Structure formats: C-alpha cells, structure tokens
Amino acid sequence: RLRRDAKLSAEALRTDQIDLLYLHRPDPKVEYEGMVRTLAGILDDGLARTAGISNANPDQIRLAHSILGDRLVAVQNQFSPGFLSSRPELELCGELGLAFVAWSPLGGYRRPLDEDAFAAFQRIADARGISRAQVILAW
C-alpha cells in the first residue's frame, strides 16, 4: 500500500520524484521494519529522493536510520510547550543530524489551548507586542 500511495502522490503532484516522502502513521498491524524497508525500496527506485517518519519512538527512529541512512532526513512527532513527551525523540534527532518537525507546535491538537499552561507565553507576547503563537514557535 505504501508504494501505491507514493505513486498516487507523485501523480497528484505531477512529478516523477517526491522530494520528501513521509511514512506518516505506521500501521500497528504491519511490522515496522517491513514498512521502512518498503520505504527504502521506494527511494531505491527513485520515486522519492528522501524520507521522513512520523509518530516514531526512539527505537523506531534508530531502526529507520539504520536502514535508510542519510536518506532519512526528518522525524515529525507531536511536540509543544504543552506536550513534551517527544523530547527523547527530539534529542535523538539532534544526535543523528535529522530534522525534527514539531506536529501541532502550538499545543492545540484535539482540545482547546490550556490558557493557564500558556500564560507565560502570553505575558512575553504582550510585553513584545507580538502574538502568543509567535512566542511559542520561537520557543
């Protein structure tokens, strides 16, 4: 399915090669290593130039890096001032030289922003005449 979806994406984008193809939400019914190896095959075939993974834990990041090498360039996990549990993944990405792409960096996924938890960001924003979102993204 991953290969089929990559081909459909390339067609939709009207390109022969996708610059960055993400394994977005791994299927828990499918072995992770098998999905990454399929992604490697897509890269080998030239359908995508580089790869990213999403919703990955440190073991999955290490596994993907061991299979894909320098062709793995990014990891996208949820991370914000209100959702810090991906800090180990963020730090591992730094060690491996991978881009860490924060998913929902403003902290508002699935529920309204907790105003009390973000009060310090609002105070900084007010003092500088900018939005709270700008302060959070700079954080």
Side-chain angles (χ1 to χ4, degrees):
R1 180 173 176 208
L2 182 58
R3 182 177 296 281
R4 183 199 73 209
D5 289 349
K7 287 179 181 178
L8 290 172
S9 292
E11 289 172 12
L13 293 167
R14 295 187 174 108
T15 187
D16 293 329
Q17 187 178 57
I18 298 168
D19 289 330
L20 173 57
L21 180 65
Y22 271 96
L23 174 57
H24 178 65
R25 186 166 299 277
D27 184 343
K29 297 175 188 167
V30 178
E31 179 192 25
Y32 193 79
E33 182 175 347
M35 288 186 285
V36 175
R37 290 199 183 281
T38 299
L39 187 55
I42 292 168
L43 295 171
D44 292 343
D45 293 344
L47 186 55
R49 188 172 57 82
T50 61
I53 56 175
S54 298
N55 306 297
N57 64 42
D59 289 339
Q60 292 169 325
I61 295 169
R62 285 185 192 92
L63 175 65
H65 188 258
S66 73
I67 293 169
L68 300 170
D70 291 341
R71 300 181 302 173
L72 177 65
V73 298
V75 175
Q76 182 183 44
N77 280 10
Q78 187 173 5
F79 192 75
S80 71
F83 190 92
L84 300 172
S85 65
S86 287
R87 187 171 298 280
E89 291 85 351
L90 173 77
E91 292 171 0
L92 179 58
C93 285
E95 291 170 22
L96 296 175
L98 304 172
F100 183 88
V101 180
W103 167 55
S104 193
L106 299 179
Y109 179 70
R110 291 193 184 173
R111 60 181 161 73
L113 198 59
D114 180 351
E115 297 296 329
D116 292 335
F118 289 82
F121 292 97
Q122 189 62 57
R123 286 192 299 276
I124 293 167
D126 292 344
R128 288 171 174 71
I130 59 176
S131 72
R132 177 178 57 205
Q134 287 174 297
V135 175
I136 292 171
L137 290 175
W139 165 84

